[in-house]
Amino acid sequence: MGSEAGEGGELERSMTGAALADANAIPRCPGPTSVSGALVSEMIRFLLMVNRQGQTRLSRYYSDVELRLRQSLEAEVVYRCLSRTKDQCSFVEYQDYKLVYRQYAGLFIVVGVTDDENELSIFEMIHNFVEVLDKYFSRVSELDIMFNLDRVHIILDEMIQNGNIVETNRSRILAPLSAIDKICDG
Amino acid sequence: MPAVSKGDGMRGLAVFISDIRNCKSKEAEIKRINKELANIRSKFKGDKALDGYSKKKYVCKLLFIFLLGHDIDFGHMEAVNLLSSNKYTEKQIGYLFISVLVNSNSELIRLINNAIKNDLSSRNPTFMCLALHCIANVGSREMAEAFASEIPRILVAGDTMDSVKQSAALCLLRLYKTSPDLVLMGEWTSRVVHLLNDQHMGVVTAAISLITCLSQKNPDEFKTCVSLAVSRLSRIVSSASTDLQDYTYYFVPAPWLSCKLLRLLQCYPPPEDGAVKGRLVECLETILNKAQEPPKSKKVQHSNAKNAILFEAISLIIHYDSEPNLLVRACNQLGQFLQHRETNLRYLALESMCTLASSEFSHEAVKTHIETVINALKTERDVSVRQRAADLLYAMCDRSNAKQIVAEMLSYLETADYSIREEMVLKVAILAEKYAVDYSWYVDTILNLIRIAGDYVSEEVWYRVIQIVINRDDVQGYAAKTVFEALQAPACHENMVKVGGYILGEFGNLIAGDPRSSPLVQFNLLHSKFHLCSVPTRALLLSAYIKFINLFPETKATIQEVLRCDSQIRNSDVELQQRAVEYLKLSSIASTDVLATVLEEMPPFPERESSILAKLKKKKGPGAVSVTELDDSKREGGELNGGGERSSDSAAMAASNASTPSPSADLLGIRSSAPMGAAPSAPGSLLVDVFSEAGPAAPAAAVNNDGFMRELEQPTDTSDSLLVEGSGDADSAPPSEDPADPLPEADELLNKFVCKNNGVLFENQLLQIGIKSEYRQNLGKMYLFYGNKTSVQFASFSTTVSCPGELQSQLNVQSKPVEPLVEGGAQIQQVLNIECLTDFCEAPLLNIKFRYGGALQNLTLKLPVTINKFFQPTEMNSQDFFQRWKQLSQAQQEAQKIFKASHGMDTEVIKAKLLGLGSALLDDVDPNPENYVCAGVIQTKGQQVGCLLRLEPNAQAQMYRLTLRSSKESVSKRLCDLMSQQF
C-alpha cells in the first residue's frame, strides 16, 4: 500500500490536486426534490462525498430516497454547498434538512441531517471520519476513495448505522478492516 | 495494477475505474459504462460458473456504476449468492450491494433472510454484524417479521460481543421505527436501559439512540433512564481528558456521547429526585464553566467538540425552562458567541437565542443583545446568518423595542436577499400590528413596506391593513391622507394602488375638504394609475369609482364618462366589462338614497386572527412546508372559489365554512391564507353575488367594495384579539387524568366574550378553539370548533362541560360527545345547548383532554356564558326610562363602580360594546349627550329581570362611572362586575 505515485503519472496522490478533466460534470440544473420517510427523531439522513466538479464519490442514504430523486438531490446539495465561500457558515437549510458540510481540498463531505440534530457534533463527526480514512489510507486522497469504495463503506458502516453515530473510537472503527487486511496479506 | 487499491485489489475494477476517469466527455463515459454493463451481463448469464472472486469483482463494478448515477437492474441474484460465501470481503460486498440497492423483491428477501439467519447463528461476530447491518439498512416488513423477536435477545445476552451489541441496538431501533407492532416490549426493556451503564462507551453510544427513541414513545416505561443518564453524563463531564483515552477527541471526553445523553434528557421534564437534579445542575454548570476556561488546544476541532456539548446543554436548559440562573448564564454565553470570529458559532448562537427569547426568565437578558443582533443583520456576509438574526429580532421584539426593531427590519429590507424578503415582509407586518400603540405608525409602516418591497407584499398583508383601517375610525383620516401622498409618487407599486383605491373609495371624503385633495384630484390621481394595472386591480378601482359617485356627487359626470368609454364598457375582460356596465347603470337609475344604502361604508370586519400570522405559521409550519405544497393548497383554494361554492346559504351561520366537511374550508383561519391567495372569479352576476353576501353575513353590510374582499367578509373566522399567539400552555399541562384547573388566563378569556358571541376562545401551539353562539330568550346554542393545528393526529380527544357548585341548579348545559380522533390540520365541531334556569355568576367549565404524540394534554377553560347573554333589548323613551330608574332606587337594587379606562374612550367602540352586551342602547335619553344608557330584560326560566344601565365617561380623567339598576341584587352586581372589565 505504497504511497508512491501511481504508475499512470496522471494519478494524483494528494487531495489538493485532484481535479478531474471532465467538463460535463458541472452541477446539473437543480430540480425540485422531495424526500419521504418517517421522521421520528434526530438523525443523519445521508452522507455524500463530492468533488469540486460535482461528481459524487460516495453516497450513503439512511432514509428512503427514491433513486430517481437522488440525482437531483445530490445536484442541488452540491450546488448549494459549492457556491459558498469560506467565511459563510457550514450549515445550510435545505428543504426539511439541514446540510452540514466540510471541505477538504477538492473534496466536499456533505451530511444531511434532520433539523434538530446538533450541527457541531455532526461537523466534527465528519472530521473524525476523514481522520479515520487518513489513518487507514495514510494520507487519503480522492482516488483512494474511488478505488477502495468497498473499504470506505466498511469504515462508514462502522461509524454510522441507519443514521445514528454508533462508534467514534478510531482504532475500534478500523478493527474489522485490519482483520481483513491481515487475512489478505497473510 | 494501480498502486492505489488497498488489500486484495481487483485489477479489473481498477482498470475500469481508471478508464472512466480518462473519459474525455460524458458521452464517452456512458459508452464505456454500457460496454461494461454488457460485459457483466454476459458474464452473469454465461454457462461458466463464476467463482466468488469474479462475482465480487462484478458486483463491485455495478456498485461503482450505480454511484455514477446509473440505475442497476440486475446482479441482485449474484449479490445474494455472495452472502453465503465464507470470505468476509465477498460476503461484505454482497451485503453492501443489497443495503445500497434496496429492493423489496419478496423472492429475494426470502433468500436474503435465509443468509441472514445463517450468519446470525454463526457466532462469528463479524458475520453477525454484517447481517445486523443489513436488517437495519433494509428494514423491510418481512425482515421485521423474521427477526424482531431475535434481535432483543442478541442485544441483552451476556455473552454477546460489544460490536455485535452495537449493531443489534441500531438494528432494533430501525425495526422499532418501521414496524413498532412487531417489536414487543418485554423483559429486555429494563435491561436495555441498563446498557447506559455499560463499560464500553461504544455500546452506550449505540444503545442511547435506541433508548432515546423508545423513551419518546413510551416515556413512563423508560423513566429510569433519566437517573442513569445523569450519572453517566456526570462521570464523563467530571473526568479528566485523559481518563477516557479512546473516546477523547481533541482533549474533549466523549463529545458525541455527551451530546446524546443531553439529548435523551430532553425527552423528560426535570428530574423529580432532588439528588439527581442536583447532580444534573452541577453537570450543566460545569459545562458552562468549561466554556470560560482557556482552551486545552488551539485546534478548531477542540473548541467545536466542546461547543457541541455546550449547545446541547443550553438546549436542555431551555427545555427545562425552570432554572432562571442557568437560563441567564446560557444567554450570556450565547451573547459572547454572537461576537465570535467563527461564523458557525454566530449562526448557532443566534439560532439558540431565538428559543431563549421566548422564556420569561431570559427574555429580558436576550433583549440586552439587541444592538449586536441588529449589527449582525447589517454586516453578516452569509445570508443564512442574517436570516437567523432577523428571526431573533422577531423573537425578542416586544412593546419596548418594537419601533426600533421594525425600523431596522424595514431598512434591511431595502437590500435584503430575495430569498428571505417575503418572510421578512410578513414579520414586519405582524410586529407592526402586534405592537402598534398608535395606528398611524402602523399605517406608515405598512405603506413603507409596500413602497420598499411591494412585490413581496402578499395579499394577506394589504388585506390586513385595510381591515384595520376600516375597523379603527381614529386612523381613517390619516390613512386616507397618507395613501393619497404615497400615490403621488411617479411610480408606485400596484399593491399601493390597491390599498389606495380601497381606502380612498371608503374614506376619501375625510380629506376632500382640502382643495389639494379634492374629489376630482383624488379621482384623477387614481385613474392615472389605472392603465398600468392588472385586471384585478382595475376591477378594484372600478368599485372605488362607483363609491366616489356616492361620496362625491360632483364627480358623477366625470366617472360616468370613464365608465361609458369603450375601453371599459366593451372591455374584453368579462369581469371588467360587467362591472363597468353594472356600475354605470346603477349610478344612472338608482336614487341617491338607494345609492347611499348600496354603497354605504363597509361595516367593521369581525375581528379575528391575523391572516398574516396564519400565513407565517404556514410558512414555518410543522415540519417544513415545501413550495409545491403551498402551490397545491393555493390551487385547491382557487377551485373552491371558482366552483361557486359560496352561495348565500354557505354564508349563513349554521352552514358556515365550519360545518363544511372539506378540510380546506376552515373556520379558524388556520388555512385561511390559502383561499385568500386565489384569484377571484365571481360566477354569475356580480351584484347578485354581492347582495347575497350582504344578507345573513352582515346585515348592515352594503355593497362589497370589491370581489376580492369577499374573503375578508366571511362571517367565519373570528378572534378575540388581532393576534393570538400560541401560548404553549397545553404543552406543560400536568399529565394527569383529572380535569386540570382552569388556565390562569381563563377569566381574561371569558371577559373578552362578554360583548361578543363569536371568536377564538383559546389557542396554543397545538389547538385552537373557536366559538359561535346565539341566544334567544333563556336558551342558547353554542358551536365549539376544535382545530388541530399540528400535522399529527390527536387521539382520545374528549371534552366535558361541567357546572361547578351552585351553577348546577342555575344553568343547564347539554353537549354531545365529540369524535375521539382529530386528524392533523382538521377541525371538529361540538354543539352545546344551554338553558338559563335562574340568574348566575360563575361560568361553566370546559375540560379538554387528548393525546398528542403520546403525551396527555389536559386543559380547562371557562365557557363564555355570562348572564348578559340572556338579555332582551327594551326600547323606551326618556320619560319611561327615568321613571323606572327611580322605581329601582333601593340600595340593594343598584350596583355602581368607578374605574379607570383601560382602553381608549372611543365613542364608536363603546357603543359597539354596549350593543354587544345585548341590551338596547337608548339615544336621546340621558340629558348629558356624553352618557350612555341601556335597557333590557334578562330572561331566565323562572323569572324576568328588568335592567337599566348608565355609563358616564369622563374623558379628562380617563374614568368611567357605571351604574346598574335591576329588580334583583345579584343581577345588578354581576352585570356591573362584568361590564366594568370591558372599558
Side-chain angles (χ1 to χ4, degrees):
Chain A
M1 13 179 180
S3 59
E4 68 273 14
E7 55 181 17
E10 89 284 10
L11 299 184
E12 309 84 341
R13 279 297 296 168
S14 153
M15 278 196 174
T16 28
L20 297 185
D22 187 349
N24 290 332
I26 303 302
R28 287 141 282 191
C29 89
T33 56
S34 81
V35 177
S36 63
L39 199 160
V40 176
S41 56
E42 79 282 357
M43 61 177 280
I44 298 166
R45 307 279 284 273
F46 59 80
L47 182 142
L48 298 176
M49 264 185 167
V50 194
N51 68 13
R52 223 194 278 267
Q53 287 73 39
Q55 292 163 315
T56 306
R57 288 301 173 226
L58 175 77
S59 72
R60 194 79 155 102
Y61 289 82
Y62 299 102
S63 56
D64 297 334
V65 179
E66 261 185 77
L67 199 58
R68 58 184 182 82
L69 293 178
R70 289 189 186 185
Q71 273 203 22
S72 54
L73 175 93
E74 285 169 27
E76 179 90 354
V77 162
V78 168
Y79 170 79
R80 282 177 190 249
C81 294
L82 260 59
S83 61
R84 295 171 68 84
T85 57
K86 281 241 156 62
D87 57 3
Q88 293 190 296
C89 79
S90 318
F91 319 122
V92 186
E93 276 162 59
Y94 170 63
Q95 293 187 3
D96 51 349
Y97 300 115
K98 199 164 251 183
L99 306 175
V100 179
Y101 73 95
R102 221 164 158 153
Q103 186 184 357
Y104 293 91
L107 210 55
F108 285 80
I109 300 181
V110 187
V111 180
V113 295
T114 46
D115 190 47
D116 50 356
E117 184 60 271
N118 183 317
E119 293 92 343
L120 279 179
S121 85
I122 298 298
F123 191 68
E124 284 312 312
M125 181 211 72
I126 298 176
H127 190 72
N128 200 26
F129 177 47
V130 172
E131 286 196 356
V132 173
L133 291 177
D134 217 44
K135 185 170 168 188
Y136 181 67
F137 292 104
S138 36
R139 286 204 70 211
V140 66
S141 75
E142 187 179 339
L143 292 182
D144 290 319
I145 291 159
M146 284 182 79
F147 282 91
N148 297 284
L149 202 55
D150 50 338
R151 316 235 147 190
V152 176
H153 269 291
I154 295 178
I155 291 175
L156 192 59
D157 279 352
E158 289 299 317
M159 294 185 72
I160 303 172
Q161 278 175 31
N162 54 83
N164 292 276
I165 298 177
V166 63
E167 184 56 77
T168 59
N169 174 344
R170 273 168 235 164
S171 42
R172 281 185 49 87
I173 293 167
L174 288 176
L177 266 187
S178 319
I180 300 168
D181 289 340
K182 220 168 270 166
I183 301 167
C184 297
D185 293 349
Chain B
M1 175 185 133
V4 285
S5 191
K6 285 275 275 196
D8 60 339
M10 290 166 278
R11 182 171 166 78
L13 177 65
V15 170
F16 172 60
I17 294 174
S18 302
D19 281 358
I20 293 288
R21 288 195 62 227
N22 291 334
C23 286
K24 293 280 180 268
S25 68
K26 197 78 192 165
E27 290 71 33
E29 186 185 302
I30 290 173
K31 213 171 143 196
R32 179 69 184 88
I33 286 171
N34 284 336
K35 187 179 149 205
E36 193 63 40
L37 284 174
N39 172 38
I40 299 172
R41 223 184 276 267
S42 73
K43 285 284 192 303
F44 284 169
K45 279 199 187 137
D47 306 328
K48 217 173 75 189
L50 292 172
D51 59 4
Y53 169 79
S54 315
K55 271 188 210 155
K56 178 181 112 177
K57 184 175 73 183
Y58 294 128
V59 170
C60 229
K61 280 184 183 173
L62 290 179
L63 267 173
F64 185 80
I65 294 171
F66 177 72
L67 182 78
L68 292 174
H70 299 263
D71 202 357
I72 300 295
D73 55 3
F74 69 103
H76 299 81
M77 202 55 216
E78 283 72 18
V80 172
N81 283 341
L82 284 174
L83 298 184
S84 47
S85 164
N86 277 327
K87 289 203 174 112
Y88 179 86
T89 50
E90 290 173 13
K91 199 186 267 294
Q92 186 260 336
I93 290 288
Y95 273 123
L96 181 61
F97 185 91
I98 287 159
S99 299
V100 172
L101 278 129
V102 195
N103 194 325
S104 52
N105 185 326
S106 61
E107 237 170 283
L108 275 181
I109 290 279
R110 211 170 311 131
L111 291 172
I112 296 168
N113 277 359
N114 260 337
I116 290 176
K117 205 165 286 167
N118 288 336
D119 283 332
L120 283 184
S121 53
S122 70
R123 310 195 61 78
N124 175 336
T126 46
F127 288 4
M128 287 175 86
C129 282
L130 284 178
L132 289 166
H133 278 198
C134 182
I135 303 174
N137 281 316
V138 178
S140 72
R141 187 76 196 169
E142 290 95 325
M143 281 192 178
E145 277 163 3
F147 302 109
S149 55
E150 173 82 6
I151 313 292
R153 221 157 358 109
I154 297 176
L155 176 60
V156 297
D159 57 348
T160 306
M161 298 273 290
D162 290 334
S163 57
V164 179
K165 271 190 197 167
Q166 286 172 282
S167 300
L170 271 306
C171 179
L172 189 56
L173 171 60
R174 174 64 190 256
L175 294 187
Y176 183 71
K177 280 184 179 177
T178 51
S179 314
D181 53 314
L182 294 178
V183 180
L184 303 171
M185 298 294 147
E187 175 257 353
W188 58 275
T189 36
S190 64
R191 298 179 61 185
V192 163
V193 174
H194 282 273
L195 288 177
L196 286 173
N197 264 339
D198 200 284
Q199 285 188 319
H200 193 291
M201 301 276 268
V203 174
V204 189
T205 309
I208 198 166
S209 295
L210 173 65
I211 296 169
T212 307
C213 178
L214 290 169
S215 300
Q216 281 166 345
K217 289 283 167 65
N218 326 275
D220 290 340
E221 278 102 301
F222 289 87
K223 250 195 330 235
T224 45
C225 71
V226 172
S227 62
L228 290 172
V230 169
S231 62
R232 189 88 209 198
L233 178 70
S234 160
R235 270 180 282 156
I236 297 173
V237 168
S238 56
S239 69
S241 58
T242 47
D243 287 359
L244 305 161
Q245 202 138 43
D246 295 348
Y247 285 87
T248 297
Y249 179 80
Y250 289 90
F251 303 100
V252 181
W256 292 282
L257 180 54
S258 305
C259 288
K260 285 181 158 204
L261 285 164
L262 288 161
R263 183 55 69 99
L264 170 61
L265 290 171
Q266 287 170 56
C267 301
Y268 288 93
E272 283 154 22
D273 182 328
V276 176
K277 190 172 180 191
R279 203 163 174 197
L280 177 57
V281 169
E282 207 172 290
C283 283
L284 295 172
E285 278 171 346
T286 313
I287 294 171
L288 285 166
N289 290 341
K290 278 188 180 173
Q292 299 300 326
E293 287 168 11
K296 294 199 178 74
S297 155
K298 285 213 168 65
K299 286 260 183 10
V300 65
Q301 284 81 1
H302 170 72
S303 61
N304 277 342
K306 210 163 87 170
N307 292 330
I309 303 173
L310 180 61
F311 276 108
E312 206 59 66
I314 291 176
S315 290
L316 182 63
I317 293 171
I318 296 172
H319 167 76
Y320 285 162
D321 198 15
S322 60
E323 301 283 328
N325 184 23
L326 289 176
L327 281 163
V328 170
R329 281 194 68 183
C331 183
N332 292 340
Q333 181 60 53
L334 295 176
Q336 284 183 18
F337 284 153
L338 287 183
Q339 319 229 29
H340 202 280
R341 59 185 169 77
E342 284 270 333
T343 313
N344 287 348
L345 284 183
R346 295 199 303 276
Y347 173 90
L348 293 173
L350 287 166
E351 188 180 54
S352 194
M353 221 179 224
C354 222
T355 45
L356 212 48
S358 56
S359 163
E360 53 169 320
F361 300 113
S362 47
H363 182 78
E364 288 304 314
V366 170
K367 273 168 64 187
T368 57
H369 299 286
I370 184 167
E371 296 301 334
T372 319
V373 182
I374 287 174
N375 199 36
L377 188 64
K378 286 179 178 159
T379 57
E380 280 291 349
R381 298 172 67 179
D382 182 346
V383 54
S384 38
V385 184
R386 289 197 296 273
Q387 169 131 36
R388 288 288 87 81
D391 286 348
L392 178 54
L393 281 180
Y394 179 74
M396 67 161 73
C397 191
D398 62 17
R399 211 165 283 284
S400 71
N401 53 21
K403 284 202 175 171
Q404 182 187 11
I405 285 178
V406 166
E408 291 295 347
M409 283 179 138
L410 268 179
S411 77
Y412 172 62
L413 253 181
E414 307 218 29
T415 54
D417 311 76
Y418 295 105
S419 55
I420 64 173
R421 278 194 184 185
E422 189 182 351
E423 200 183 315
M424 289 285 294
V425 166
L426 289 175
K427 285 184 165 160
V428 169
I430 287 170
L431 291 179
E433 178 181 337
K434 196 168 171 187
Y435 298 115
V437 185
D438 60 299
Y439 278 83
S440 50
W441 174 71
Y442 170 76
V443 170
D444 283 341
T445 305
I446 300 296
L447 292 184
N448 260 330
L449 206 53
I450 296 175
R451 194 175 50 74
I452 293 169
D455 282 345
Y456 298 88
V457 172
S458 57
E459 274 147 344
E460 287 82 357
V461 174
W462 73 261
Y463 282 0
R464 192 67 188 155
V465 68
I466 285 171
Q467 281 183 17
I468 287 181
V469 169
I470 300 240
N471 286 13
R472 308 214 38 115
D473 48 11
D474 51 344
V475 76
Q476 288 159 357
Y478 181 80
K481 183 166 161 286
T482 319
V483 285
F484 179 78
E485 281 161 10
L487 286 173
Q488 307 279 346
C492 57
H493 196 274
E494 192 163 332
N495 279 333
M496 188 72 89
V497 180
K498 289 179 183 163
V499 175
Y502 200 110
I503 288 187
L504 292 181
E506 292 290 332
F507 308 115
N509 55 328
L510 299 176
I511 55 168
D514 187 329
R516 284 167 300 176
S517 52
S518 70
L520 264 181
V521 174
Q522 285 184 40
F523 171 74
N524 287 332
L525 181 62
L526 279 179
H527 200 54
S528 69
K529 314 284 180 193
F530 188 91
H531 304 280
L532 300 168
C533 290
S534 63
V535 168
T537 308
R538 289 189 193 189
L540 186 151
L541 286 177
L542 288 178
S543 294
Y545 296 170
I546 184 77
K547 288 226 155 191
F548 265 53
I549 293 185
N550 174 49
L551 286 179
F552 318 114
E554 67 265 40
T555 59
K556 185 171 172 176
T558 318
I559 291 174
Q560 279 183 335
E561 202 167 312
V562 168
L563 291 175
R564 205 176 290 126
C565 77
D566 275 358
S567 62
Q568 307 296 355
I569 212 159
R570 282 167 211 255
N571 195 295
S572 60
D573 185 274
V574 169
E575 177 73 32
L576 292 182
Q577 190 188 95
Q578 188 171 6
R579 284 190 190 213
V581 172
E582 287 176 357
Y583 291 163
L584 183 60
K585 206 72 187 157
L586 181 68
S587 67
S588 28
I589 59 172
S591 69
T592 338
D593 282 353
V594 171
L595 212 55
T597 317
V598 172
L599 300 171
E600 198 187 336
E601 193 178 298
M602 293 297 290
F605 291 101
E607 297 204 335
R608 59 168 161 190
E609 178 179 20
S610 162
S611 48
I612 310 174
L613 196 62
K615 171 150 185 172
L616 188 70
K617 275 184 198 155
K618 196 171 170 76
K619 249 182 117 67
K620 288 254 159 187
V625 182
S626 73
V627 179
T628 41
E629 233 175 283
L630 273 173
D631 285 345
D632 281 346
S633 61
K634 269 191 184 162
R635 215 171 307 127
E636 191 185 3
E639 279 157 16
L640 265 178
N641 256 0
E645 263 208 12
R646 200 156 293 116
S647 65
S648 58
D649 283 353
S650 71
M653 177 171 167
S656 69
N657 279 355
S659 52
T660 325
S662 157
S664 59
D666 184 346
L667 169 81
L668 297 168
I670 298 176
R671 288 160 186 263
S672 65
S673 61
M676 250 184 211
S681 58
S685 153
L686 172 80
L687 281 177
V688 170
D689 197 43
V690 153
F691 283 132
S692 67
E693 271 296 299
V703 164
N704 267 329
N705 194 326
D706 186 75
F708 287 89
M709 308 309 279
R710 202 164 305 141
E711 280 299 332
L712 297 174
E713 281 116 45
Q714 284 292 296
T716 52
D717 332 7
T718 51
S719 151
D720 42 349
S721 68
L722 293 179
L723 285 158
V724 186
E725 253 192 325
S727 61
D729 279 283
D731 293 334
S732 54
S736 139
E737 288 290 345
D738 300 326
D741 289 333
L743 295 175
E745 68 267 32
D747 278 312
E748 199 183 315
L749 297 174
L750 178 78
N751 275 328
K752 290 190 176 155
F753 280 83
V754 169
C755 294
K756 62 177 188 171
N757 288 334
N758 305 331
V760 172
L761 174 64
F762 172 80
E763 177 164 13
N764 66 16
Q765 284 149 355
L766 307 176
L767 177 72
Q768 188 183 46
I769 306 174
I771 281 192
K772 273 180 177 298
S773 45
E774 50 187 2
Y775 295 87
R776 189 160 302 145
Q777 307 284 348
N778 68 325
L779 300 176
K781 196 166 222 159
M782 182 177 275
Y783 300 82
L784 289 165
F785 302 97
Y786 305 97
N788 179 348
K789 291 170 65 181
T790 72
S791 52
V792 183
Q793 188 187 60
F794 291 163
S796 327
F797 192 91
S798 72
T799 67
T800 19
V801 178
S802 59
C803 294
E806 254 191 330
L807 192 60
Q808 242 166 0
S809 58
Q810 297 166 333
L811 203 64
N812 189 359
V813 185
Q814 284 176 336
S815 61
K816 287 209 186 95
V818 288
E819 290 290 322
L821 292 181
V822 189
E823 296 299 334
Q827 186 186 68
I828 56 167
Q829 180 185 339
Q830 185 178 30
V831 185
L832 305 182
N833 287 314
I834 303 164
E835 185 185 16
C836 175
L837 303 173
T838 176
D839 69 283
F840 59 95
C841 292
E842 289 304 313
L845 298 178
L846 169 69
N847 176 254
I848 299 143
K849 281 202 209 89
F850 60 94
R851 287 195 173 270
Y852 168 69
L856 178 73
Q857 309 288 331
N858 182 350
L859 67 141
T860 303
L861 298 162
K862 292 194 174 176
L863 273 182
V865 181
T866 44
I867 184 68
N868 64 295
K869 301 292 178 197
F870 303 95
F871 247 131
Q872 290 282 110
T874 319
E875 294 291 342
M876 55 179 79
N877 61 27
S878 181
Q879 195 185 348
D880 288 345
F881 183 86
F882 283 105
Q883 192 185 346
R884 289 183 197 205
W885 185 260
K886 276 177 206 138
Q887 282 166 2
L888 297 168
S889 55
Q890 289 169 42
Q892 71 269 26
Q893 289 172 332
E894 184 184 278
Q896 189 172 71
K897 273 199 177 174
I898 297 173
F899 53 90
K900 197 134 189 93
S902 39
H903 307 281
M905 297 180 82
D906 186 281
T907 319
E908 289 309 313
V909 177
I910 295 175
K911 278 188 183 167
K913 283 185 176 166
L914 288 171
L915 282 173
L917 181 69
S919 55
L921 176 61
L922 305 175
D923 291 327
D924 306 323
V925 167
D926 201 292
N928 181 350
E930 299 291 306
N931 293 349
Y932 305 88
V933 291
C934 304
V937 177
I938 301 272
Q939 306 272 353
T940 73
K941 194 180 183 195
Q943 66 180 132
Q944 301 192 338
V945 186
C947 305
L948 302 175
L949 175 152
R950 192 178 195 196
L951 181 69
E952 299 160 88
N954 179 340
Q956 213 164 17
Q958 289 285 304
M959 302 280 282
Y960 290 103
R961 178 161 70 187
L962 173 70
T963 316
L964 255 302
R965 286 189 182 184
S966 79
S967 48
K968 203 164 178 189
E969 182 182 2
S970 52
V971 173
S972 302
K973 199 168 166 325
R974 180 62 182 154
L975 281 175
C976 189
D977 285 345
L978 285 173
M979 289 312 289
S980 61
Q981 305 289 327
Q982 301 298 319
F983 297 98

